[in-house]
Amino acid sequence: MNRYAIFLGCTVPVRAQHYELSARNVARALGVELVDIPGASCCGFPMKAVDAETALLIAARNIALASQMDLDVVTLCNSCTAMLSDAQVQLNVKEFRSKFKKLGMSYPREVKVRHFVRMLYEDIGIENIRKAVKKPLARLKIMAHYGCHYMRPSNLYGFDNAEMPHTLDELVRATGAESLEYADKKMCCGGSVLGIDEETAITMANHKLNIAHENGADGLVSICPFCTVMYEDNQRKAEARFGRHYGIPVLYYPQLLGLSLGIDGNGVGLKFNRIKPDAILDKIAT
Amino acid sequence: MRVLMCNCHNSLKLPKLKLGPDVKVEEFDDLCKTKPEIAPDEKVVIAACSPNLLEGLFPGTNAEFVNILEHVFLIGHRPEKAEQMINAAVAKMEKTRPVKTKFFQISSRKALVIGGGIAGIEVTAQLSKNGIETTLIEKTPFLGGTVAKLDRLYPEGTPYSHTLMPLINTMQSQKNAVSLCNTEITKVSGRVGDYKIELVTRPRGVQECINCGKCIDVCPVEIDDAGKSRKAIYYVPTYPDMYAIDFAACTRCGECVKVCPGRIDLNEQEKVSEIAAGAVIVATGLLWYDVSRVEEYGYGRLDGVMKTLEFERAVAAGTLRPKKVAIIYCAGSRDSKHLPYCSKICCLLGLKEAKLIIDRYPDVQVYVAAMDMRSYGTFEYLYNTLREKGVSFIKGKPSEVFRWNGKLAVRTEDLFTNELMEIEVDNVVLSSGFVPDVETFSKLKINLTVDFPVLYENAGLSNTELPRGIFTAGAATFPGGVAETLIDARKASHSALSLLAQKEIETKINQAVVDEDLCSVCRMCIGTCPYGAISVVEDKIKINEELCMGCGICSVTCPAYASQLEGWNHEGLREQIRELAQQGDIVAILCRWSAYNATERAAQDKLGYPGNVKIIRVPCTGAVDPSHIMLALNNGAKGVLIGGCYPHACHYARGNFRAKAREQILKLNLESLGMAGNQVRLEWIGKDEAHKFVEIVQEMNK
Amino acid sequence: MIDLKESDPQFKWEIVKKEGGEGLLKCFGCSDCAASCPVRYFNENYNPRKIIRLTLLGLKDRVLTSPFLWFCAHCHACTERCPQGIRVAELINAIKNYAVDQGYCPEGYKMQLDLLLKMGRLYEVEDFDLKKRQRLGLPAIDKTIPDVARILEYTGILKVLQK
């Protein structure tokens, strides 16, 4: 059985419990054990723009906790993945390591840091997921949104293809749903700009919502709580700002996968989705 | 041993030397005019002026040069220093391994030219005209290379046939020239003046062809040949004047044999042959960079995205008629992820393609997106012409090519207006850079910088001491236009001619020699040689005399001191240091190509420095062994300066980087012994940087 | 007009020294970063190339006081494309770090820093949240992680709050 330390970060356990719930239930269904990290904190990413070293030390502490548990790390948030991966690289740099040690922390063995979805792709595999699917979501048209820090920067991750990402599309297709090819797939949701300039951020989010609307997508699939904040929580704002009506549900990938694995709506926390995915459920049901 | 001293027209007061009975001292008023005879096997110490001058007057002697003029008298140091320097030189020479003279017979006065493009054809014509029996081999079935694939040549747009056909005809009219198509080299052995090359000639499948073309009517295999379609049996109107089968595409269905019995043989076998040559000229040309690797531009993924060559051929063939075209420059060039260098000709190719389409269809709207336009020299006129023809030039590197609602588009920033721009077009042409055919280079052990050959054989930019008899010509040297390629081909021809005109080459450069008794064949030296001169032959380390340039890097890498440099072996150097380094001295071990010259310059510029600075001349900082430094310090020297060429300017490509790596390790070792790491300094000192040398030694003296 | 009398020749070297800033001097101004940038796509006031250019010219005050410095979403679209291999997003981040050090920290970041100091996380975990988690069968989480405050004190970043 695959065992991983699960790093939740700040947003997921408080604001996106449906993401967490569906990820845990999907993991269980696929024979993956997720072990919580006692004492895990914020990943450090919010401090990166202020002081990269502070952010890296906070991140390194979290990896160190997993390392002490002798487990590789999976994360649910793209930004957490990037921040912890950065720190993992730094832990091999002498100067950083000595600062880290001065704080009385230890990093007994090198651990891998990966996004939960990447772990599904690499360790479980498309074939096994396809086999585990009990209820193929055959008629759904999904637009997969990767977010930035899932595969960029490529020299940090060496995973997927930064120009033409495909792993999430494959994972969506494994559930039986159609994954739409569309322009500007790699476009950023705008989440990092939200606190600085809401107008720009909403315009960025609107771009992809508009594409989804024009492509007739039944829903967007996201793998990052920030992206969901932009596409779901701020969808109303985008609609108001651009005078459109979208009403596009935004599902976390484990929610979509969970449904195909036969987990019910409660088991993937559908009631917490702000834009109700009723149309999706209707399509699946018939 | 003799010591030859020069008093420079009685202007120097020479020291009275007290040397052993085996050493004979001779004094001259003007050594440079008298030029005393020195036997080839004799060891001498020449105490006079600059070795740079004296080496030319006494070529190929086993001499240690002591510059008493510039290191003692002109700089106002005491004559005792001169005596000590000469004593140290004598001590060195006693233990020095003499330089062996090497002779290379030019046994074959024939030449092999690899590559049948314009460069190879021109070289073959030039050599055969001058009486050299020359074999030209070409790996495809037809001569002409890249040029034969083009529609036209820049800047004017003349058809390629204007240039190519006269070249081929000139070559064909020479009785000394032989050309073999479908032929490649498989094995090379021998050395300068005496190469044996094994060739393989692959089947053409066609003989006694009358060019009727019936075969192409029946051939069912249609393939795309860089933008133009052709059959598996095909013809290129250059030479030879007959069809050929592309066996990589042919399905051997036999349809062509039915319409042309007796002249087509699908089962023809390949032939192996061997030829002798005294010189080899590599004219393998260029290859287009695989631009599909620049993923954001969508080549191979998005319909309508083409390479320059494909675009040119398709437009010329009339199969492409776009209304709007965008030409993207530097597609994968000057890019750390792709080709870090500028291929020089792609800017002009892009302009040529713009002109081609506008000449043919004046209503076409052409956009050229270029981060820089490098229309060097008079090619600027072509750039001017195209602006006047209405081409829109955009400054900026496009970020991507994409499809939006079925339309192909380029996204870029226009640096002229500082605004983002999306250009909808029918076709995107990627002007990508070029790479050479490295396979041939590696078969011939040609050293490369980045991707292209080190420019030393033809251009004489670095080492010219040892001709290997292997030359590059044309785009194999570096991508160039047709005119540049032909000029380079002529340069290569003349180099080869002057080599083959000699009966024997004599060289006397210091080379590394391996003591087999000490060598444990650990192979550490192999990777450190900048020339690939070291290899293992029959379980022994062997130094290739044609490749070794005498940097001495291997002699320091070798943990057993088995590899030693003639004229600068460790034992001799150690004796010199032992004799020279005294309590409180600064020992300056300096590269003969840079820092040593700076010391002479100091004397000429009247820049004084203390008399305790003792100078030792070495071929390269990469040849300085840590034990030499430790010896100087143990002898009481308070500092050791190692001076060499600036990074990337090393005469031996990377000797100074080796020195830098060793310096850091040595400093750590010194500190662990309780000594000050800053007693040893490695400095880059250019040949004219006397002030820098003086500042450093004064600092070290504090 | 750019007045180079205001230029600080040391500025670029100070950025080069910072983590992520090492590639600054490689920039040859091709503008691929700007053409790749999603923020710039929607707001032409932001331009990574311009920030890099002004930094290279030593126009420190203009760079540090510009509100647009903070618009970078750190999405790395530019990093992927830069032909000179500059980690552009990290470079912009290095300039942000430098700006904070010089006393130009946006209020939003100060608030986040304060939250991390107090709780070690960005969102307060209220009893209501814990009950909700319990109801969903999710494990309990710590309300505060004091170790984070230790790190903040160690790196000296708390001085930002005093300014």
Side-chain angles (χ1 to χ4, degrees), chain A residues 79-130:
Chain A
S79 299
C80 295
T81 315
M83 197 63 235
L84 298 189
S85 302
D86 268 340
Q88 199 236 20
V89 173
Q90 286 292 324
L91 279 168
N92 290 319
V93 177
K94 210 171 122 194
E95 296 82 40
F96 183 81
R97 190 82 180 244
S98 73
K99 278 183 188 151
F100 172 79
K101 277 189 182 154
K102 272 194 198 129
L103 277 160
M105 300 189 279
S106 76
Y107 181 58
R109 81 160 179 105
E110 184 137 339
V111 290
K112 264 199 243 175
V113 176
R114 285 177 302 166
H115 195 288
F116 177 74
V117 170
R118 175 176 175 182
M119 180 278 289
L120 291 179
Y121 185 85
E122 288 184 332
D123 294 4
I124 308 298
I126 295 294
E127 227 13 73
N128 287 329
I129 291 174
R130 200 174 284 145

Side-chain angles (χ1 to χ4, degrees), chain A residues 10 13 17 20 42 48-50 52 54 61 103 148-149 152-154 163 187 192 197 200 204 207 272, chain C residues 38 42-43 71 73-76 80-81 90 93 97 112 120 122-123 132-133 142 145 147-148 150 155 157:
Chain A
C10 302
Q17 289 101 338
E20 183 183 343
C42 165
K48 185 166 180 180
V50 177
T54 303
R61 176 184 164 276
L103 277 160
C148 301
H149 296 146
R152 284 199 302 262
S154 54
E163 284 300 335
M187 179 64 77
S192 305
D197 186 63
T200 305
M204 288 169 77
H207 184 70
F272 297 106
Chain C
F42 296 108
N43 185 340
F71 275 52
H74 205 67
C75 77
H76 283 297
E80 291 303 323
R81 300 272 173 68
E90 300 293 356
N93 196 70
N97 282 186
Q112 292 186 340
L122 279 189
Y123 298 110
K132 185 176 166 191
R133 290 183 63 82
D142 298 330
I145 303 101
D147 264 8
V148 173
R150 247 178 12 97
T155 61
I157 196 62

Side-chain angles (χ1 to χ4, degrees), chain C residues 54-104:
Chain C
L54 293 173
T55 305
L56 283 167
L57 289 173
L59 298 168
K60 188 166 158 180
D61 288 345
R62 260 177 84 169
V63 173
L64 300 188
T65 57
S66 165
F68 301 112
L69 172 60
W70 304 92
F71 275 52
C72 169
H74 205 67
C75 77
H76 283 297
C78 46
T79 308
E80 291 303 323
R81 300 272 173 68
C82 176
Q84 288 296 304
I86 304 169
R87 300 187 295 155
V88 185
E90 300 293 356
L91 169 58
I92 300 288
N93 196 70
I95 301 173
K96 287 180 184 172
N97 282 186
Y98 186 82
V100 168
D101 200 48
Q102 299 287 306
Y104 302 93

